[in-house]
């Protein structure tokens, strides 16, 4: 397999990557055939996966705009993935040029492309780190430079927590991040679930198996399990709902049925 010029040296381009698969779902070009093959396999069981990812992006934009309207101008986006149109810094800095954004990902392709996109942007940066080790994120030079711990931060965990198994202690990771946030900070979160999928649990399980086979287990959690991530936060209206139902801009009846799979919510730290 020929290595594209944009692919960082040292990465194994024969192994699928969750962030590159996500990029493929969104119509991006920073993915390899091995990523596209895994995505097509998963879509064989759940054809609407790209619709789910686009609903994630649309919710994220609305939540970021909500945060700005609430006076929050610092954003910590963990599991940010490969830069695509409508990234957090584009949304925030269009409305608020001084808004600060720190992206975090552990995929080398995502980190490399984020650095290229953010070159010359003094109010945005990317750090290579893992959600399972919050301390590395919080004490990174980039975090110290960009984020004022005394001021509210919008913590974005969009389509990332479902890639942490219970053995990874995802609740502990979110709690550690929460405890480091100033009062008034926001938690912006989406999570995959079998709830409201327009296919059977057994059929959806085929797509889950694809992710397990590429050693990136996809953990589908219930509404109650997802709500636990908001411990220590007060959910803002309309609470924990399907992504299109969170402060929609158009009638939700127009949305694809797949867009209602999973949960989305925003919580505020008192």
């Amino acid at each position: 397999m020929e290595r594209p010029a944009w692919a960082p040296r040292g990465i194994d381009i024969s192994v699928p990557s969750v962030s590159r698969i996500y990029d493929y779902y969104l119509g991006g070009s920073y993915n390899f055939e091995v990523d596209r093959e895994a995505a097509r396999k998963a879509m064989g069981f759940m054809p609407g996966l790209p619709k789910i990812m686009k609903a994630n992006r649309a919710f994220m934009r609305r939540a970021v705009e909500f945060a700005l309207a609430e006076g929050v101008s610092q954003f910590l986006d963990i599991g940010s993935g490969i830069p695509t149109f409508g990234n957090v810094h584009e949304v925030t800095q269009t409305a608020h040029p001084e808004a600060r954004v720190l992206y975090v990902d552990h995929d080398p392709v995502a980190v490399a492309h984020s650095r290229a996109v953010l070159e010359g942007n003094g109010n945005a940066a990317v750090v290579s780190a893992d959600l399972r080790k919050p301390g590395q994120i919080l004490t990174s030079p980039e975090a110290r430079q960009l984020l004022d711990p005394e001021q509210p931060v919008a913590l974005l965990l969009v389509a990332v927590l479902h890639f942490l198994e219970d053995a990874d202690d995802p609740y502990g990771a979110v709690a550690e991040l929460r405890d480091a946030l100033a009062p008034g900070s926001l938690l912006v979160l989406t999570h995959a679930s079998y709830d409201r999928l327009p296919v059977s649990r057994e059929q959806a399980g085929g797509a889950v198996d694809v992710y397990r086979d590429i050693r990136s287990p996809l953990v589908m959690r219930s509404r109650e399990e997802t709500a636990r991530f908001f411990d220590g936060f007060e959910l803002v209206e309309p609470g924990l709902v399907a992504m299109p139902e969170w402060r929609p801009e158009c009638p939700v009846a127009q949305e694809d049925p797949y867009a209602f799979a999973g949960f989305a919510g925003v919580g505020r730290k008192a």
Side-chain angles (χ1 to χ4, degrees):
M1 184 186 301
E2 184 177 350
R3 178 182 295 272
W6 52 262
R9 292 288 168 188
I11 68 166
D12 187 348
I13 64 174
S14 68
V15 177
S17 151
V18 164
S19 64
R20 298 195 305 265
I21 291 172
Y22 190 90
D23 177 68
Y24 173 74
Y25 289 145
L26 290 175
S29 57
Y30 293 108
N31 48 76
F32 307 130
E33 179 55 32
V34 68
D35 306 307
R36 296 188 285 274
E37 181 181 355
R40 288 191 290 265
K41 270 187 195 175
M43 289 168 62
F45 298 100
M46 289 174 56
L49 278 167
K51 296 291 186 182
I52 296 175
M53 307 314 163
K54 289 173 183 175
N56 263 283
R57 297 288 295 187
F59 160 75
M60 182 185 73
R61 177 184 56 77
R62 297 195 304 276
V64 166
E65 290 173 347
F66 168 80
L68 288 168
E70 293 290 298
V72 178
S73 59
Q74 301 187 108
F75 295 82
L76 175 57
D77 184 359
I78 302 179
S80 51
I82 295 170
T84 55
F85 178 76
N87 263 28
V88 175
H89 74 281
E90 294 175 323
V91 177
T92 59
Q93 293 177 0
T94 297
H96 190 315
E98 298 306 310
R100 287 166 283 170
V101 179
L102 179 60
Y103 293 117
V104 180
D105 209 290
H106 62 78
D107 184 300
V109 172
V111 173
H113 281 286
S114 295
R115 285 185 178 141
V117 167
L118 298 175
E119 187 174 0
N121 189 331
N123 288 325
V126 61
V127 60
S128 177
D130 195 312
L131 173 56
R132 290 169 289 195
K133 299 177 180 177
Q136 291 185 358
I137 299 170
L138 297 169
T139 61
S140 67
E142 294 88 348
R144 293 183 183 279
Q145 177 183 351
L146 274 180
L147 304 179
D148 181 352
E150 302 300 317
Q151 297 298 319
V153 172
L155 169 62
L156 278 67
L157 298 175
V158 176
V160 64
L161 285 166
H162 46 237
F163 291 112
L164 269 62
E165 297 181 278
D166 288 345
D168 296 318
D169 191 18
Y171 297 105
V174 175
E176 186 174 342
L177 290 163
R178 176 200 66 212
D179 292 346
L181 299 177
S185 292
L186 301 173
L187 171 60
V188 176
L189 181 153
T190 66
H191 200 292
S193 177
Y194 287 115
D195 290 36
R196 296 181 71 175
L197 272 172
V199 296
S200 70
R201 190 184 185 102
E202 290 72 25
Q203 183 173 331
V208 172
D209 288 343
V210 171
Y211 282 91
R212 187 192 63 228
D213 291 344
I214 65 172
R215 287 172 280 182
S216 296
L218 178 59
V219 182
M220 308 289 264
R221 293 190 170 96
S222 68
R223 189 182 191 283
E224 293 72 23
E225 290 169 325
T226 302
R228 280 185 56 199
F229 289 113
F230 286 97
D231 286 354
F233 294 90
E234 181 181 353
L235 279 164
V236 303
E237 291 294 333
L240 189 61
V241 295
M243 291 175 286
E245 295 170 344
W246 197 90
R247 305 195 176 211
E249 297 173 337
C250 60
V252 296
Q254 298 176 6
E255 294 284 353
D256 187 279
Y258 271 97
F260 294 88
F263 298 101
V266 175
R268 181 182 287 108
K269 181 177 177 180

